[in-house]
Amino acid sequence: MSDLVHTAQRLAYYARGLLHQTVPYAAARWRKDTILDRSDHHPNHTEIDERVGYYNKLYDHFDATSGTRIADIDRQKSRYYLDLDEYSRAFGPNRRLNYLFGDVTTVPDVPTIIKSRPICAENENSVVLKLDKLRHFRWGADPTPFKDKRATAVWRGTPHTEQRRQFIKMFYNHRSFDIGHSRHLFDDLPPKRSLTHQEQKEHKFFVSIEGNDVATNLKWAMASNMLVMSPRLRYETWFMEGALQPNVHFVLLNDDLSDLEEKVDYYTQHANEAEEIISNAHAWVNRFTDPLKESIISLRVLEKYFKLSQQI
């Protein structure tokens, strides 16, 4: 995706967000009611129910009186604010909620709206909403089929986790892989040239490694015709990373990524299996591309939060 397209998308996103803030609360409530009226008749209503339950696992009443009024949500992290305001505005200015913006890697003590949460059994206090979607939920076309790509692996990123640092040291000088970091000198290894998404898509195999929370690149890579390879996933967002099946939607690597060469060799020789996984990845990505469905789910996640906190 070109810089010009990125810039256009950003401008359009902020323009829509600023325009949405001018919508009166009553009009936003009318829009919510209109959208939710279509929920039961949506062709994917079963999936909608399942995803609402996945994002919002709460089932007991709780007290949100110490939470923030919708009208007072912090605007400093503008993308997070715009994404939360897009749907919370429909519930009026005075209902209260707890929220955390940014990369959240622990489960809050009280039910809280977040972008990311740990993949674990007891994460029900982490109520997932589609936050920071400009960064996480955009991807471009990939016109090159898997068979026509270079049979090599690619990765770029910052070396700010031990897992990433060890990976870089292991494969930085690999004879054919294009593995490198993109910020500053690390362990006497200089940064390599940044690669555009299109340049990375020239490779058959894409390595995805979590950073502060989820790997942002997992989503656009799964939308491409590359075969995504990743160690065990520890965090999830609206993309439902915790429901992805290893070796069905992506190729599972050892936590130390020591089997990368072995997996690249295997799927180079077994292209049909690789293409089946890529097809499954595309089907997963397509679940998140229907604007009406995404709006219904977002509103129902918040509606459930406010009902259980006895505010509606």
Side-chain angles (χ1 to χ4, degrees), residues 13 20-21 68-75 77-91 97-101 112-115 127-133 298-299 301-302 305-306:
Y13 167 81
H20 189 79
Q21 289 181 72
T68 302
R69 292 173 65 246
I70 288 173
D72 298 330
I73 294 171
D74 183 9
R75 302 185 180 208
K77 286 197 172 183
S78 59
R79 294 199 304 268
Y80 284 86
Y81 166 74
L82 291 176
D83 291 341
L84 181 52
D85 177 75
E86 179 179 0
Y87 295 108
S88 63
R89 171 174 292 268
F91 294 91
L97 52 77
N98 295 292
Y99 68 92
L100 287 173
F101 289 162
T112 303
I113 305 297
I114 47 81
K115 176 204 77 177
V127 178
V128 178
L129 210 61
K130 195 175 186 179
L131 303 180
D132 200 15
K133 61 174 175 277
S298 298
L299 289 168
V301 167
L302 284 171
Y305 183 96
F306 293 125

Side-chain angles (χ1 to χ4, degrees), residues 144-178:
T144 306
F146 177 79
K147 65 182 179 62
D148 294 336
K149 297 178 184 290
R150 295 158 50 191
T152 56
V154 65
W155 182 84
R156 284 294 187 277
T158 53
H160 59 268
T161 68
E162 183 61 24
Q163 187 178 45
R164 288 186 174 192
R165 287 191 288 270
Q166 292 302 318
F167 172 68
I168 293 166
K169 287 190 284 187
M170 192 182 310
F171 292 107
Y172 183 91
N173 291 312
H174 193 277
R175 65 188 181 278
S176 60
F177 294 173
D178 191 354

Side-chain angles (χ1 to χ4, degrees), residues 103 135 155-166 168 181-184 186 209-216 234:
D103 300 332
R135 181 167 180 247
W155 182 84
R156 284 294 187 277
T158 53
H160 59 268
T161 68
E162 183 61 24
Q163 187 178 45
R164 288 186 174 192
R165 287 191 288 270
Q166 292 302 318
I168 293 166
H181 62 98
S182 54
R183 277 218 179 153
H184 47 71
F186 158 66
I209 309 174
E210 291 179 328
N212 291 330
D213 55 2
V214 297
T216 307
R234 299 171 298 155

Side-chain angles (χ1 to χ4, degrees), residues 37-276:
D37 282 345
R38 302 173 67 180
S39 179
D40 289 340
H41 306 291
H42 194 282
N44 301 120
H45 66 272
T46 300
E47 179 197 340
I48 288 172
D49 290 343
E50 291 172 351
R51 285 179 59 188
V52 171
Y54 189 93
Y55 298 132
N56 188 336
K57 299 180 179 180
L58 298 167
Y59 52 87
D60 287 334
H61 288 147
F62 63 92
D63 183 3
T65 54
S66 62
T68 302
R69 292 173 65 246
I70 288 173
D72 298 330
I73 294 171
D74 183 9
R75 302 185 180 208
Q76 290 188 356
K77 286 197 172 183
S78 59
R79 294 199 304 268
Y80 284 86
Y81 166 74
L82 291 176
D83 291 341
L84 181 52
D85 177 75
E86 179 179 0
Y87 295 108
S88 63
R89 171 174 292 268
F91 294 91
N94 295 317
R95 290 193 171 86
R96 294 179 177 271
L97 52 77
N98 295 292
Y99 68 92
L100 287 173
F101 289 162
D103 300 332
V104 181
T105 58
T106 58
V107 178
D109 293 331
V110 296
T112 303
I113 305 297
I114 47 81
K115 176 204 77 177
S116 56
R117 68 186 179 192
I119 298 170
C120 60
E122 297 181 354
N123 60 6
E124 60 271 9
N125 276 348
S126 300
V127 178
V128 178
L129 210 61
K130 195 175 186 179
L131 303 180
D132 200 15
K133 61 174 175 277
L134 177 66
R135 181 167 180 247
H136 286 264
F137 284 87
R138 58 177 180 174
W139 40 76
D142 184 358
T144 306
F146 177 79
K147 65 182 179 62
D148 294 336
K149 297 178 184 290
R150 295 158 50 191
T152 56
V154 65
W155 182 84
R156 284 294 187 277
T158 53
H160 59 268
T161 68
E162 183 61 24
Q163 187 178 45
R164 288 186 174 192
R165 287 191 288 270
Q166 292 302 318
F167 172 68
I168 293 166
K169 287 190 284 187
M170 192 182 310
F171 292 107
Y172 183 91
N173 291 312
H174 193 277
R175 65 188 181 278
S176 60
F177 294 173
D178 191 354
I179 308 298
H181 62 98
S182 54
R183 277 218 179 153
H184 47 71
L185 189 70
F186 158 66
D187 200 36
D188 295 326
L189 300 173
K192 292 187 178 181
R193 181 178 68 86
S194 295
L195 300 176
T196 66
H197 288 187
Q198 287 305 127
E199 288 175 318
Q200 293 177 65
K201 289 175 185 177
E202 294 173 3
H203 300 261
K204 286 185 186 295
F205 306 103
F206 182 89
V207 184
S208 179
I209 309 174
E210 291 179 328
N212 291 330
D213 55 2
V214 297
T216 307
N217 57 24
L218 177 69
K219 303 174 183 70
W220 70 259
M222 284 181 57
S224 78
N225 292 323
M226 297 182 291
L227 181 62
V228 175
M229 299 183 165
S230 172
R232 175 180 52 89
L233 302 176
R234 299 171 298 155
Y235 303 107
E236 65 179 351
T237 64
W238 189 263
F239 196 61
M240 301 169 64
E241 287 89 344
L244 292 172
Q245 298 178 55
N247 304 320
V248 174
H249 299 106
F250 68 97
V251 174
L252 181 65
L253 298 174
N254 294 336
D255 282 351
D256 63 2
L257 294 99
S258 59
D259 57 344
L260 177 61
E261 286 181 300
E262 173 192 336
K263 295 295 176 62
V264 165
D265 288 343
Y266 178 86
Y267 285 101
T268 299
Q269 300 300 319
H270 298 80
N272 289 342
E273 293 182 34
E275 290 173 348
E276 183 176 352

